[in-house]
Amino acid sequence: MYERAADDGPLRPLWHVAGATTFFAGPLRYNAGHQHGAPVFLAGLYGDFRLRVGAQDWTTCRTAMIPAGCVHELDLGGDPLGVLYLEPDRFGVEALTPLLHGTREIAGALLGAAGETTPLRDLFEHRDGASAAGPALADLLAFAGRQPEPRIDGRIARAIRRLLAEPDATPSVGALAASVGLSASRFQHLFTDAVGVPFRRYRGWLRMRRAIGAVIDGNNFTGAAHAAGFADQAHFAHDFRRTFGAPASLSLRDIRR
């Protein structure tokens, strides 16, 4: 049962988007089947949560590492979940696996009986969690990462770093491939192999990050949709539900700033 430590009113959802990290902490109910463009670490902030990977049976865990492109469902029943995405500009899922303890593998996902839940719960309970998230997440990843050797092709890593450094740019796949010395077809093959999702899907994930960042900055959903290049709010709402398995209104409205 979720029993929040703070006692001066309900805590609103918390989002943080910066550099190679995206973070959410807040209560969730049910997220239908969805997949992400980046690997994600999930942490039940106050207890276990229910998870279904692909067509496997439902199971419970306290932490999980879901690779990019892995379809999964979540059932929290209203309890808070910490969700940390790490862009694959240098490392793959190896950079997140040290955050899980007592692991087992199911259909490509790694599920833990325990793990590094306390730092994320502390951020959720921190009234200034929005401003504290950057340093706290950097510390957490530094702990996880006595980093493994890079596992991603250096050319793909350079392309991803360019996309992260120039969030408003929308280079074509041909231009991006040429900038790292590859043909478009070879680039797309290597990208899918390294990241786990096709380039087009990953670029869609980056556009979603821009929209979430715009909401964090104070834009309404319509303004955020336009700022990120969506045709309209309905297009943004549709892609948000496809990306996260639930409506944007459940986790993006009334967030902390």
Side-chain angles (χ1 to χ4, degrees):
M1 179 66 68
Y2 164 40
E3 294 183 3
R4 184 177 52 79
D7 58 3
D8 52 351
L11 286 168
R12 301 193 304 274
L14 171 66
W15 280 96
H16 172 81
V17 177
T21 57
T22 304
F23 175 66
F24 166 80
L28 297 175
R29 292 195 176 278
Y30 170 71
N31 290 56
H34 59 289
Q35 57 184 173
H36 299 299
V40 59
F41 171 64
L42 306 174
L45 299 187
Y46 296 89
D48 292 350
F49 60 93
R50 297 181 72 230
L51 171 69
R52 181 179 180 182
V53 182
Q56 303 298 310
D57 293 335
W58 283 95
T59 187
T60 60
C61 57
R62 184 65 187 269
T63 57
M65 190 288 301
I66 310 293
C70 180
V71 177
H72 58 289
E73 299 173 61
L74 298 168
D75 183 6
L76 276 295
D79 289 342
L81 187 71
V83 184
L84 175 61
Y85 306 87
L86 184 62
E87 301 307 311
D89 60 330
R90 289 185 64 202
F91 305 101
V93 297
E94 294 87 354
L96 292 174
T97 52
L99 300 177
L100 293 83
H101 306 155
T103 59
R104 67 189 193 277
E105 189 270 337
I106 296 181
L110 197 62
L111 280 58
E116 301 304 319
T117 61
T118 301
L120 302 187
R121 184 176 66 239
D122 289 347
L123 264 182
F124 176 60
E125 293 185 346
H126 197 312
R127 283 292 170 181
D128 296 322
S131 59
L137 295 175
D139 287 347
L140 179 63
L141 290 172
F143 162 78
R146 295 171 282 270
Q147 299 278 18
E149 288 299 313
R151 298 288 298 276
I152 189 169
D153 186 292
R155 295 163 296 185
I156 302 303
R158 290 198 302 274
I160 292 172
R161 286 197 291 271
R162 177 183 170 187
L163 292 170
L164 292 173
E166 304 172 6
D168 295 327
T170 55
S172 68
V173 65
L176 193 59
S179 73
V180 295
L182 292 168
S183 68
S185 60
R186 181 61 175 161
F187 174 82
Q188 291 185 85
H189 174 79
L190 289 175
F191 191 96
T192 301
D193 184 60
V195 177
V197 294
F199 173 71
R200 183 175 181 180
R201 180 174 288 276
Y202 181 72
R203 189 161 57 181
W205 163 246
L206 293 183
R207 181 168 63 171
M208 182 59 65
R209 289 183 86 229
R210 291 200 302 275
I212 294 170
V215 174
I216 293 171
D217 289 340
N219 287 269
N220 59 24
F221 286 180
T222 299
H226 291 157
F230 289 97
D232 50 35
Q233 181 180 336
H235 186 197
F236 164 62
H238 175 270
D239 274 19
F240 190 98
R241 183 185 286 271
R242 186 183 68 172
T243 301
F244 298 103
S249 58
L250 297 183
S251 60
L252 261 184
R253 199 176 298 281
D254 197 28
I255 63 174
R256 281 181 271 172
R257 296 185 174 91

